[in-house]
Amino acid sequence: HTPMYFFLCNLSLADLCFSTNIVPQALVHLLSRKKVISFTRCAAQLLLFFIFGCTQCALLAVMSYDRYVAICNPMYYPTIMTWKVCVQLAVGSWASGILVSVVDATFTLRLPYRGSNSIAHFFCEAPALLILATTDARTSEMAIFLMGVVILLMPVSLILVSYGHIIVTVVRMKSAAGRLKAFSTCGSHLIVVILFYGSAIVTYMTPKSSKELKTLVSVFYTMVTPMLNPLIYSLRN
């Protein structure tokens, strides 16, 4: 019933759906000799991957704003982060995630795929699919890159600004106990931000990275980070 846990609930839901969309199918392919997925299921997996991944990006930025208000303006926190505002921020996060996802999925799936149908990846991710397109994919790559700026770099900028103000406020605190409490409050969120955004930026904002590196990084943010999130937040709380 507090903003931090309300946003954490939304993040947990997005995290759960994000993992469920990818991990079961990946396990099936690991355990079977015939590693096949239909184009329709591949398209569905791609769209859901974008929706839940992009929503997480927006939610992490919203959570950083929540921590900024709580630490830098504690007296006004109850009046700023009202239930109505929290719901609007959560709905906005899901809506922005869906909007960006539809654009990314459309630009990926509109291309013709008439050549090789062997995906060099463990799930249907845009960079792996664009390689198989039988026409010039530069327009789609540019569109996905621009959407990456919107859903990755803009939230990261907001997070950096929020934590910049938080650090300045914490350093000015006279009480050592107050400083420790403030840093512990933000520590778990900062760890998740670094793990998730760092790996996602490598995949979508560095097009010249090797396929092997992108696959390794994809394992990290689709399986390792969602596995660590409950531990990071639960143990802290």
Side-chain angles (χ1 to χ4, degrees):
H1 294 84
T2 62
M4 184 177 75
Y5 291 104
F6 172 70
F7 294 130
L8 192 55
C9 180
N10 279 271
L11 182 67
S12 300
L13 176 62
D15 226 1
L16 179 65
C17 296
F18 186 69
S19 302
T20 306
N21 179 47
I22 295 167
V23 176
Q25 186 67 54
L27 291 174
V28 168
H29 287 163
L30 283 172
L31 296 172
S32 62
R33 292 184 179 181
K34 193 176 182 181
K35 309 178 194 307
V36 178
I37 185 170
S38 68
F39 184 81
T40 304
R41 289 173 65 188
C42 184
Q45 188 182 60
L46 176 73
L47 178 60
L48 293 174
F49 162 77
F50 275 134
I51 289 174
F52 299 123
C54 292
T55 300
Q56 284 188 68
C57 291
L59 284 170
L60 288 171
V62 167
M63 289 172 71
S64 72
Y65 174 72
D66 172 67
R67 292 299 84 207
Y68 158 73
V69 177
I71 293 173
C72 299
N73 299 287
M75 298 295 289
Y76 297 100
Y77 183 74
T79 57
I80 294 174
M81 299 302 292
T82 61
W83 176 248
K84 181 180 178 181
V85 170
C86 291
V87 171
Q88 288 174 342
L89 289 171
V91 171
S93 298
W94 284 93
S96 61
I98 292 171
L99 179 62
V100 171
S101 303
V102 169
V103 173
D104 284 347
T106 301
F107 273 94
T108 303
L109 299 173
R110 73 182 183 89
L111 299 173
Y113 295 95
R114 302 190 188 95
S116 171
N117 62 353
S118 178
I119 303 172
H121 212 337
F122 63 94
F123 75 102
C124 295
E125 192 174 21
L129 290 176
L130 291 176
I131 295 172
L132 303 179
T134 53
T135 187
D136 189 5
R138 281 180 292 184
T139 302
S140 296
E141 289 173 350
M142 182 56 65
I144 292 173
F145 180 84
L146 292 175
M147 288 297 101
V149 172
V150 172
I151 204 66
L152 286 173
L153 296 189
M154 287 177 63
V156 164
S157 301
L158 176 61
I159 290 169
L160 291 176
V161 171
S162 298
Y163 273 96
H165 286 287
I166 288 171
I167 290 170
V168 171
T169 302
V170 170
V171 169
R172 289 176 179 173
M173 289 180 179
K174 295 180 180 180
S175 168
R179 286 197 296 268
L180 182 62
K181 182 180 178 182
F183 276 126
S184 67
T185 302
C186 300
S188 55
H189 178 252
L190 195 56
I191 292 170
V192 172
V193 165
I194 292 170
L195 293 174
F196 186 78
Y197 276 105
S199 53
I201 286 173
V202 169
T203 301
Y204 286 94
M205 305 307 293
T206 55
K208 294 185 178 180
S209 300
S210 66
K211 288 190 294 183
E212 291 79 10
L213 176 62
K214 287 186 176 182
T215 302
L216 180 62
V217 170
S218 295
V219 172
F220 199 83
Y221 71 77
T222 57
M223 297 186 185
V224 177
T225 304
M227 180 187 68
L228 291 176
N229 279 356
L231 295 174
I232 291 170
Y233 282 114
S234 299
L235 290 175
R236 177 206 161 276
N237 292 328

